[in-house]
Amino acid sequence: MPLFPIDYNDFKPIGKTKERLSAVGLGTWAIRDYSSALEAYVYAIERGINHIDTAEMYGAGEAERFVGSVLRSVGRDRVYVVTKLYPFRFRDPDEAVKAARASAERMGVSYVDIILIHWPDPQTPIKDQVKSLEAIAEAGLARYIGVSNFSKEQLEEALTATKKHEIVVNQVKYSVLDRRAEELIPLAVEKSILLEAYSPLERGHVAEVRLLAKIGRQYGKTPVQVALNFIVSRPNFIAIPKAERREHVDEILGSLGWRLKPEDIELIEEKL
């Protein structure tokens, strides 16, 4: 049996809400051609992908401006926007609110759907970081709050520090080649936290993995599609790869609507 029950949902809930994100979203880190990416992201949203992840540090704000262009092209209500702020922003609630407002302005929106601490600030107690995070939601600049790159212990501490708003997301590095974040799954299931896998394709290296190619041939799928399907088969996990061209989007979409057999998931768990 696989290490975890297979999750067959292609749309996964945001925390304890009834709102759902597509099991594969789109990341915006290190986009090389924003004009080409704009066409690809609009194409993806028109085909069912409903969320985009970004951050104020990506391209020094340029990625957030790009997200704004996508929203203007497809309509704000069709996309869940997740963005992340530098950790030092959360040392003070006023600074956090100011940074969140600037982030929203770069995207041309009045609020984002989910805002995250990009990684824990070692100089600030987690309870104080969470206080600043909640201040953003209180100001109406984010509908939901979350964290990124928090370990199991840090996440547990953050969960106990909230006063009014629940943490609904922890964005972490996760792929078939780097499965350290699996330690978070039991806690995520218990507390209804969505885990977002960034770098799910390891900068394209999963396409070169022979085992994934071998498994993929049984399903008529590519190694990339197998790698993404493995992630979304995990409870509470979604993946946020980057896609700058339509063919990338088509390949990503091909990772949904089916699931690997338990024995193939076990094989990946054992061999990679």
Side-chain angles (χ1 to χ4, degrees):
M1 291 292 291
L3 294 174
F4 303 97
I6 298 174
D7 186 340
Y8 290 93
N9 295 306
D10 278 345
F11 286 85
K12 306 201 180 191
I14 302 171
K16 297 174 183 176
T17 77
K18 294 182 180 180
E19 298 178 64
R20 293 176 178 267
L21 300 185
S22 51
V24 173
L26 295 170
T28 57
W29 166 247
I31 290 178
R32 292 161 292 189
D33 185 341
Y34 283 108
S35 59
S36 172
L38 177 60
E39 180 184 356
Y41 281 47
V42 169
Y43 178 79
I45 292 162
E46 289 174 343
R47 281 151 185 80
I49 289 179
N50 72 353
H51 73 285
I52 299 177
D53 174 81
T54 190
E56 67 168 331
M57 72 170 286
Y58 295 173
E62 194 60 32
E64 289 184 324
R65 295 185 186 94
F66 164 74
V67 171
S69 297
V70 175
L71 297 178
R72 287 189 291 276
S73 298
V74 301
R76 174 68 181 90
D77 61 347
R78 296 183 65 183
V79 185
Y80 284 89
V81 177
V82 182
T83 196
K84 304 177 290 291
L85 301 179
Y86 282 110
F88 69 83
R89 305 290 195 194
F90 297 92
R91 295 174 186 173
D92 175 77
D94 291 338
E95 171 65 16
V97 169
K98 180 181 177 182
R101 183 169 288 114
S103 181
E105 288 174 353
R106 280 191 290 273
M107 289 183 269
V109 298
S110 58
Y111 67 91
V112 298
D113 295 286
I114 309 173
I115 203 155
L116 313 179
I117 303 172
H118 206 148
W119 62 88
D121 179 8
Q123 300 182 34
T124 308
I126 285 178
K127 65 179 179 61
D128 293 335
Q129 296 178 56
V130 170
K131 180 180 178 181
S132 295
L133 184 61
E134 287 195 281
I136 294 171
E138 285 296 293
L141 293 165
R143 298 175 59 229
Y144 302 109
I145 60 171
V147 296
S148 181
N149 295 301
F150 272 49
S151 68
K152 180 176 179 289
E153 293 73 23
Q154 290 167 331
L155 179 57
E156 288 175 327
E157 186 175 350
L159 289 170
T160 63
T162 56
K163 301 298 183 184
K164 185 177 178 180
H165 301 271
E166 294 184 346
I167 288 172
V168 299
V169 167
N170 186 17
Q171 189 178 120
V172 291
K173 186 177 185 298
Y174 183 63
S175 72
V176 293
L177 301 178
D178 183 355
R179 293 171 37 219
R180 290 172 293 178
E182 285 178 359
E183 69 166 4
L184 291 160
I185 291 177
L187 179 62
V189 171
E190 178 189 352
K191 301 296 185 180
S192 299
I193 295 168
L194 195 60
L195 298 172
E196 290 187 332
Y198 70 80
S199 297
L201 302 179
E202 296 287 357
R203 297 179 180 271
H205 291 308
V206 299
E208 304 162 3
V209 178
R210 291 182 179 180
L211 177 62
L212 299 181
K214 180 180 178 181
I215 292 173
R217 284 193 288 271
Q218 302 173 37
Y219 299 85
K221 299 293 183 179
T222 68
V224 164
Q225 290 167 335
V226 172
L228 291 174
N229 191 269
F230 177 88
I231 293 171
V232 303
S233 294
R234 295 315 212 193
N236 293 48
F237 249 114
I238 63 176
I240 46 174
K242 180 179 66 173
E244 292 192 46
R245 299 195 303 272
R246 284 192 177 199
E247 52 265 37
H248 291 159
V249 173
D250 286 332
E251 185 170 30
I252 286 169
L253 289 171
S255 68
L256 300 175
W258 61 286
R259 286 296 184 272
L260 290 162
K261 296 175 183 177
E263 56 267 31
D264 291 322
I265 292 176
E266 288 181 65
L267 191 59
I268 292 171
E269 290 172 339
E270 179 185 347
K271 300 296 185 181
L272 296 182

